Amino acid sequence: MSSVTAPPHSSNSQARLAGRGFSRKTILIIVLVSAVLLAIGLVMSGLWPFSQGPVIQDFREASDSQLQIRSFHRTYFPFPGCVLREVVFNHDPAASAPLITVEKITIRGTYLGLLSKRVSRITAEGLHITIPAFGTSTAFHTIPSKITIDEIVANGALVDFDFHRPDKPPLRFEVHEASLRNLGWQGPLTYRLKVRNPKPPGEIATQGQFGVWDKSDPGQTPISGEYTFEQADLGVYHGIAGMLSSEGKFSGTLRHIDIAGKTDIPDFEVKSGRHPMHLTTDFTAYVDATHGDTFLKRVDADFWKTHIVAEGSIARTSGGKGKTAVIDLRSSNARIEDLLRMFVKANRAPMSGSVTLQARATIPPGKEPFLKKVKLRGGFGIAGGIFSKSSTQEGVNKLSAGARGEKDPPDPETVLTDLTGRVDLLDGISRFSDLSFGVPGVEARMHGTYNLLNEKIDLRGQLQVDSKISNTTGGTKSFFLKIMEPFFKKKKKGEIVPVRISGTYGHPSFGLSLNDKKAQTVAPPSKTKPETSAPKP
């Protein structure tokens, strides 16, 4: 920071004095004596700006607070100024904590600054700021100071944001480094901060401009800058993990800050699946800093070989009990194996193939496990689906061959086509409706559930085959099915029978369910496929 500021043309004056035979030592003595005489004159005239009364009055007006101090003393050399110890700013008498407490404030000026009403530096040691919950404190009515401050330094400060619930501990930001420059009421100040973010825990470095403060509407106060966010631990959130880094730029007002940036998580994972993946995003969003709400305009996310576009919000819930994330997702360039692998523990996803989807995910606040509290509603379509488990794919191959009247499948694997449906995820259970699919010779429509927590399957519906239903199996079971063929409902393409898929993801069971009333209530297969668009909010 600047030291003693030399008067204008001081170097020329010193050169002229030196030319007249004055040594540098003599010149220094003349400057010091002049400074002493100026200080004595200001003190004697009562105009010394660093007296206790004027300093405290400036602090009161600038913070709209009453001040308490333990001690105060002036400094004259080498810099004019003062030192205050154990300073307390009380803005709202009804507040549970003071607005600001400071262990030590050191104000340092220059003798030239005494005439221009300018302070070179204010250093705050042991600074602790407590911001009351929005809407709970009295309004600020500050009076602009006539003094311009070149720099305020507040390294090692603490900033607490109180919540509306008094039993909830405040959100604390640990400020490692803080520098504010050009503090005045004529233009914006310049800031540089290094902060420990509380949730997710990580290190934020930011710099930019702020102000001028809008007293009539603080939300309209301008702000701009750029940031980096390093080593943010997502493990504090229930259900996910990974170390996030991010960088970006922002500008706007406190009520609407536009942000553009990118994130990089090399080891992101959903804890239920435990399959780390490299997740990157490019995003545009805006933030309401007066309430801490974030609104996502567009997020382009990439992981493995899947691309998903998202938009939504992370904002207050009714009643002020935390924030709820509401995210709309869509993709026409995704792989079903990438999506499923996030949630299943097996090394390979149960199915592969291209997928289109459109859905809305809602993640409410709370300490419940991620899969227990996340809600999702939407539609999907899978083309060219193949089961990764050999026994499951074999069953599909044989089903297709039998439905076409063939004894053995001619191809090594049969592709599952036109798999479409709608899904509602609630309390860890996926509820499928209008789930339809086809393989060569077979069409089916089903509904039912899949439990993400215990991996149990319960899908029921109607199956239609091109050939005789007895061709889809062999042995004794085939014999009984041949006897029962007359009882099956006849259609042009063959029989329509009720079927059920049960068991677990690891050990699924396929079979006819002739007396299953739930299966019989499902509409028979049709060429008309359900739409895959997500339901409207």
Side-chain angles (χ1 to χ4, degrees), residues 198-359:
K199 193 173 183 179
E203 299 296 327
I204 297 176
T206 180
Q207 59 183 1
Q209 292 188 321
F210 179 82
V212 174
W213 182 261
D214 191 326
K215 294 189 299 179
S216 60
D217 186 359
Q220 291 301 315
T221 301
I223 186 172
S224 62
E226 57 188 29
Y227 77 92
T228 60
F229 192 11
E230 300 291 342
Q231 295 300 303
D233 186 0
L234 301 181
V236 297
Y237 299 112
H238 296 277
I240 62 174
M243 300 301 289
L244 174 146
S245 61
S246 178
E247 61 180 30
K249 297 182 178 180
F250 55 91
S251 63
T253 65
L254 289 181
R255 188 171 290 116
H256 188 112
I257 306 173
D258 289 306
I259 304 177
K262 58 184 179 181
T263 65
D264 189 340
I265 313 173
D267 55 350
F268 177 82
E269 68 176 54
V270 177
K271 290 181 180 178
S272 62
R274 299 180 181 178
H275 295 297
M277 64 184 183
H278 190 179
L279 171 63
T280 62
T281 70
D282 287 281
F283 67 89
T284 56
Y286 72 90
V287 173
D288 178 359
T290 62
H291 296 98
D293 296 338
T294 301
F295 301 88
L296 304 173
K297 294 180 180 179
R298 180 183 174 100
V299 179
D300 288 272
D302 291 277
F303 56 96
W304 289 313
K305 294 183 179 181
T306 289
H307 179 81
I308 291 180
V309 178
E311 59 185 31
S313 63
I314 306 171
R316 294 161 292 166
T317 58
S318 58
K321 296 181 179 180
K323 297 183 183 296
T324 295
V326 179
I327 311 295
D328 290 323
L329 306 166
R330 66 180 186 276
S331 179
S332 57
N333 185 23
R335 301 193 312 175
I336 187 61
E337 59 264 42
D338 293 344
L339 298 175
L340 294 177
R341 193 181 178 199
M342 286 192 294
F343 302 101
V344 299
K345 296 178 181 178
N347 291 329
R348 295 182 64 188
M351 178 183 290
S352 63
S354 62
V355 60
T356 59
L357 64 91
Q358 188 168 346

